[in-house]
Amino acid sequence: PPPAPQPGHPSGKLVIWGDTAWFDVRQNPENCILLSRFKRGMRMGWRITAIDGGTGETENTAVITAHLTYNSKTKGRTTVDIPMRWRGGAPPNAPAPNGYLRVPRELWTGYWTVPDDAETGMLTYQVTAVDRFGRTASFIPFPDIGSQPYVVD
């Protein structure tokens, strides 16, 4: 079922932001670390949040998608859509999931596994969101080429 309506929403613009990380198995101590260089077979993950700009609270009705463009050796320039999953649906007194300090009520995550046919080089992405009120938002990383994600050997 969809999340319950939140008092005071909507009262401002929908705001989203986030980063990319390596999503590996929980047993790997480098799982979920900030990362922008990925080898084929690695899972490039997004950690995104959505905020009601008027209340400053998490907008739990946001539907968030990352749109990633990469160069494929077999398909040429390719864009894939990666849906995000809201991680904040736990009951109020739920224990923190394994690997978390607390329940991540403000967190959406999604990942893309770098395919074997991906060429080395820069990736580009944009993250978009829409909420139950029809508000939209987008996030594009800073334009410095050194901070963009890359496929590397």
Side-chain angles (χ1 to χ4, degrees):
Q6 296 166 275
H9 292 219
S11 62
K13 290 184 177 185
L14 179 64
V15 179
I16 64 171
W17 72 89
D19 60 17
T20 60
W22 180 20
F23 282 12
D24 199 25
V25 296
R26 285 244 179 251
Q27 296 79 10
N28 182 344
E30 294 186 348
N31 176 52
C32 215
I33 62 167
L34 187 66
L35 194 67
S36 61
R37 303 298 184 260
F38 299 90
K39 295 181 179 182
R40 293 173 193 88
M42 291 176 74
R43 293 188 341 168
M44 176 182 176
W46 283 265
R47 302 177 294 195
I48 305 294
T49 195
I51 302 294
D52 176 272
T55 64
E57 298 171 344
T58 301
E59 180 50 67
N60 64 15
T61 70
V63 175
I64 302 176
T65 305
H67 313 278
L68 172 81
T69 301
Y70 73 102
N71 289 319
S72 163
K73 293 176 185 175
T74 57
K75 297 178 264 187
R77 193 131 178 93
T78 303
T79 299
V80 293
D81 293 335
I82 300 104
M84 301 289 132
R85 179 173 72 106
W86 183 48
R87 306 295 298 272
N93 294 324
N98 184 27
Y100 287 86
L101 299 174
R102 59 179 173 73
V103 175
R105 301 197 187 284
E106 73 280 41
L107 180 65
W108 281 254
T109 61
Y111 72 89
W112 172 71
T113 302
V114 180
D116 290 340
D117 75 339
E119 294 182 8
T120 58
M122 188 171 64
L123 306 169
T124 58
Y125 73 89
Q126 175 179 4
V127 180
T128 59
V130 62
D131 67 12
R132 78 167 67 183
F133 308 105
R135 297 179 297 177
T136 60
S138 64
F139 169 77
I140 299 171
F142 293 112
D144 178 67
I145 62 172
S147 65
Q148 302 306 306
Y150 282 80
V151 174
V152 296
D153 282 331

